Amino acid sequence: MDTIFTKIINKELNSNIIFEDDHILAFEDVNPCAPIHFLIIPKKKIRSINEISENDSNLIGKMFIVARDIAKKKKIAKDGYRLVINCNENGGQTVYHLHMHMIAGKKLNWPPG
Ligand code: 5GP
């Protein structure tokens, strides 16, 4: 099923894109919870972590490589950052297209509630 992220991938909806290749898109979160907050998503429609298949291993690995590279580019690698993937209702997922939050730019609280 399509989500708002399909529209962002297809450029039917504007977003501030940070990185794009054939398989991955990274763009700023519209409602940031920290000075740096963006999302890294596969272009392939995967509903949540629960729907990841063995064949997606490279794609999921690439999401982390993209996170690492952007962290370096934005000079947040040393200070640190948090990568979050929410899954389904109890996990707080609101958009059912797999996405990794990259949150940084301040000292983050732990644990989350
Ligand atoms: P979730 O709660 O599913 O883990 O995260 C969904 C994220 O998508 C939220 O942080 C929300 O602010 C972001 N988001 C929802 N709609 C849009 C949109 O249209 N554009 C952008 N850039 N981010 C969105």
Side-chain angles (χ1 to χ4, degrees):
M1 213 185 81
D2 283 357
T3 68
I4 197 97
F5 290 175
T6 304
K7 286 197 165 65
I8 289 176
I9 292 165
N10 294 335
K11 314 283 163 52
E12 294 159 6
L13 192 69
N14 272 345
S15 69
N16 292 329
I17 292 175
I18 297 169
F19 171 87
E20 179 168 22
D21 69 9
D22 288 347
H23 304 289
I24 306 273
L25 186 69
F27 55 95
E28 286 176 10
D29 196 293
V30 77
N31 187 22
C33 68
I36 294 175
H37 184 181
F38 58 89
L39 304 171
I40 299 167
I41 71 171
K43 289 187 174 176
K44 178 181 175 182
K45 266 179 249 169
I46 301 174
R47 194 175 180 275
S48 78
I49 294 177
N50 291 334
E51 283 74 32
I52 293 172
S53 78
E54 297 294 333
N55 293 337
D56 297 321
S57 300
N58 279 346
L59 183 61
I60 303 304
K62 183 80 198 301
M63 289 169 70
F64 281 89
I65 298 294
V66 169
R68 180 202 66 186
D69 289 349
I70 297 175
K72 195 173 169 194
K73 204 172 276 180
K74 286 189 173 284
K75 301 191 189 319
I76 54 172
K78 186 164 175 283
D79 284 346
Y81 51 87
R82 186 169 295 161
L83 295 176
V84 175
I85 301 179
N86 296 323
C87 183
N88 280 349
E89 196 179 342
N90 279 3
Q93 185 172 4
T94 58
V95 178
Y96 285 90
H97 181 124
L98 184 69
H99 53 280
M100 181 187 272
H101 296 257
M102 164 72 95
I103 304 165
K106 68 173 187 181
K107 175 87 177 144
L108 300 167
N109 295 324
W110 188 264

